[in-house]
Amino acid sequence: HVQLVESGGGSVQAGGSLRLSCAASGYTYSSSCMGWFRQAPGQEREGVAAVDADGNANYADSLKGRFTVSKDNAENTLYLQITSMKPEDTAMYYCAMDDGPNCRSGDFLDWTTLGRYTYWGQGTQVTVS
């Protein structure tokens, strides 16, 4: 049974930073690919960043530069560092996992597609004012 638990959200002022964490359990984590998504009220869920099974990071074009995704295989944890935060970053942030087998870099071009992810966390709220 795979479980994803996000943490690290909160309320920050514009210009501040946060680091979100997603702890994964119940699966051979290193062979999966994982991503961060966010959903603002009244908006569709959108891809923020993701890491494939080869450790390569992918980012939404509009968010490059302020978001850094990383994966610690030893700790079974996915991270998202957000800097220079803006009010438009306010959203619920979700962690998602695709348990493979199509998680190598060449198979990960559609990383923003919600349907490729089998498991989702409950989300962590981020509010920027």
Side-chain angles (χ1 to χ4, degrees), residues 7 14 16 18 74 86 88 90:
S7 61
L18 277 179
K86 305 176 181 180
E88 51 263 43
T90 296

Side-chain angles (χ1 to χ4, degrees), residues 76-89:
N76 287 351
T77 302
L78 184 73
Y79 298 99
L80 183 69
Q81 179 76 41
I82 314 172
T83 60
S84 302
M85 298 186 74
K86 305 176 181 180
E88 51 263 43
D89 293 325

Side-chain angles (χ1 to χ4, degrees), residues 12-94:
V12 298
Q13 292 187 337
S17 300
L18 277 179
R19 188 176 81 155
L20 308 183
S21 300
C22 172
S25 61
Y27 190 72
T28 307
Y29 176 80
S30 62
S31 63
S32 64
C33 44
M34 298 183 69
W36 285 101
F37 291 77
R38 68 182 185 181
Q39 187 168 20
Q43 303 295 317
E44 293 186 351
R45 193 169 298 189
E46 64 174 353
V48 175
V51 179
D52 63 31
D54 298 315
N56 300 305
N58 299 267
Y59 297 95
D61 289 339
S62 61
L63 302 177
K64 285 181 180 178
R66 298 192 300 114
F67 291 75
T68 303
V69 64
S70 60
K71 186 178 173 185
D72 186 331
N73 288 336
E75 296 294 328
N76 287 351
T77 302
L78 184 73
Y79 298 99
L80 183 69
Q81 179 76 41
I82 314 172
T83 60
S84 302
M85 298 186 74
K86 305 176 181 180
E88 51 263 43
D89 293 325
T90 296
M92 185 72 80
Y93 284 72
Y94 297 92

